[in-house]
Amino acid sequence: MLLLSLLLGRSPGARAEPETPPRYLGSETCAACHADQAAAWRDSHHGWALRTAEDANLLGNFNDVVFEGVGVRARFFRRGGKAYVETDGPDGVPRDFEIRYTV
């Protein structure tokens, strides 16, 4: 076994890599077995760190509000039940960006 491990370039006792890489399972997967911990986490500052941009999670004003400052113009609005911001893109041309997550 030692000779085979050395020929394959692994140290003795090293585990083989999984065939499929690990993937994100989401917090609900853990909550199935850890309900108390999941409930405490959900309303903590960690649980609020990244959420989908649903009405309950959006704290900003998306009623066609314009922000201008430091050479930037941004307009926050809704279209089709979703939140958007119109502002400069990476190329400097203004366009609409859907708000998908809140931080």
Side-chain angles (χ1 to χ4, degrees):
M1 188 64 164
L2 175 61
L3 180 58
L4 181 59
S5 293
L6 294 173
L7 289 173
L8 293 174
R10 293 189 207 138
S11 60
R15 297 188 302 181
E17 292 294 318
E19 289 184 24
T20 57
R23 62 185 175 82
Y24 178 71
L25 298 176
S27 56
E28 293 307 314
T29 301
C30 299
C33 296
H34 304 279
D36 292 342
Q37 291 83 356
W41 174 84
R42 191 172 294 115
D43 285 325
S44 73
H45 62 283
H46 292 288
W48 275 98
L50 182 68
R51 292 205 174 183
T52 55
E54 301 167 18
D55 285 341
N57 300 334
L58 288 171
L59 303 179
N61 185 345
F62 287 87
N63 295 319
D64 209 32
V65 172
V66 175
F67 166 82
E68 293 187 51
V70 196
V72 175
R73 181 184 188 278
R75 180 176 67 97
F76 299 87
F77 65 99
R78 292 181 182 272
R79 180 173 60 217
K82 296 181 180 182
Y84 288 84
V85 60
E86 174 192 18
T87 193
D88 291 352
D91 55 1
V93 176
R95 56 180 210 238
D96 299 345
F97 296 92
E98 180 184 347
I99 306 296
R100 295 184 181 164
Y101 298 94
T102 63
V103 178

